[in-house]
Amino acid sequence: MTAQTDSRDRRPRRTTRRRVVDTSRREELQRQAEAIILAEGFTAVTMDDLAQRLECSKATLYSLASTKEQLVLAVTRAFFREATAEIEQAVQAEPDARQRIRVYLTGVGTAMRRHSHAFYDDMVGYEPTAQIYRKNSAAAAQRVHELIEEGVQSGVFRALNGHFAAQVVAVTIDAVQSGVLLESTGLTAGDAFSELGDLLLDGLSSGQATFEPPAARP
């Protein structure tokens, strides 16, 4: 006797449905969400708040990320990824090995102006984003080290402990981002990195370059 399958038992399995949002709309929402989080931090911002301010449903917002935590991680990674790409493009466009460090630090200062102290505090206070921050800070120190070594090889910088100088830059970046250095000096982030560039270039200079005396500068 052959067993027969009851067609009534063939029920479709339920799956979680997400709203399908076109690519351009998703990219725009992600940019807007990123702007809010970078400006205000993410501790006090809820998905309900974001949905209301972005004038979209929560289902649409969840098409960007499955949780608020995932959205925050995506925003943090995107910030560092985009900043790194912009800085490297400017560095590669600078032919003078000596000036590449200044260009790099200026780029870091420009990128920092895109986020607030509130975002920085939230980022370093939340371990998953703190890990992203530490990874990128280490990468920045390594990049400065590479730029110093390039200058040494080309003869515009004197040979010294490039790793130490790079770590000084990393510590300074952290002090500027936290606001500690700016509060104690009264400098803006851009001014602080300009000063840091001057200190590095004057300290690293091999003495082979020709400089105008201060009185001759416009």
Side-chain angles (χ1 to χ4, degrees):
M1 186 174 181
T2 305
Q4 295 183 353
T5 304
D6 190 343
S7 61
R8 291 175 298 178
D9 293 334
R10 296 178 181 177
R11 299 171 185 173
R13 295 180 179 179
R14 292 183 178 273
T15 57
T16 302
R17 296 183 62 186
R18 291 186 181 179
R19 179 162 298 181
V20 178
V21 183
D22 66 87
T23 302
S24 61
R25 175 60 171 159
R26 287 183 76 256
E27 291 176 351
E28 179 61 25
L29 287 174
Q30 193 147 356
R31 282 194 295 268
Q32 293 176 354
E34 179 178 348
I36 292 173
I37 290 173
L38 291 179
E40 302 175 19
F42 52 81
T43 298
V45 176
T46 67
M47 295 296 269
D48 286 326
D49 294 334
L50 286 175
Q52 184 175 9
R53 294 169 66 175
L54 297 178
E55 299 181 343
C56 69
S57 67
K58 287 182 67 176
T60 298
L61 192 57
Y62 280 118
S63 71
L64 304 180
S66 57
T67 64
K68 174 187 170 181
E69 289 73 17
Q70 290 301 316
L71 178 62
V72 167
L73 290 174
V75 166
T76 305
R77 292 191 185 100
F79 168 75
F80 283 111
R81 182 173 61 251
E82 292 165 6
T84 299
E86 291 172 2
I87 293 169
E88 280 303 318
Q89 183 177 12
V91 169
Q92 294 304 319
E94 174 54 62
D96 187 342
R98 186 174 183 276
Q99 292 300 323
R100 287 194 187 108
I101 289 182
R102 189 188 300 279
V103 171
Y104 184 88
L105 294 175
T106 298
V108 172
T110 300
M112 283 175 50
R113 283 192 284 270
R114 290 182 54 209
H115 71 69
S116 64
H117 290 315
F119 174 78
Y120 172 83
D121 290 341
D122 287 347
M123 176 175 62
V124 298
Y126 179 51
E127 184 55 26
T129 49
Q131 290 179 7
I132 298 173
Y133 174 70
R134 288 194 296 267
K135 178 181 178 180
N136 282 274
S137 292
Q142 177 61 31
R143 188 66 181 108
V144 171
H145 192 184
E146 292 171 357
L147 293 172
I148 292 173
E149 291 301 316
E150 289 173 8
V152 171
Q153 293 298 321
S154 63
V156 297
F157 293 155
R158 60 190 177 88
L160 47 64
N161 191 332
H163 180 69
F164 175 77
Q167 292 304 313
V168 169
V169 171
V171 171
T172 304
I173 290 174
D174 187 66
V176 171
Q177 290 204 106
S178 67
V180 172
L181 189 59
L182 303 184
E183 291 173 3
S184 61
T185 61
L187 297 172
T188 65
D191 291 339
F193 281 105
S194 177
E195 292 287 338
L196 178 60
D198 290 341
L199 286 173
L200 272 178
L201 293 180
D202 289 342
L204 292 169
S205 176
S206 66
Q208 296 180 9
T210 302
F211 300 96
E212 295 181 350
R217 296 175 183 172

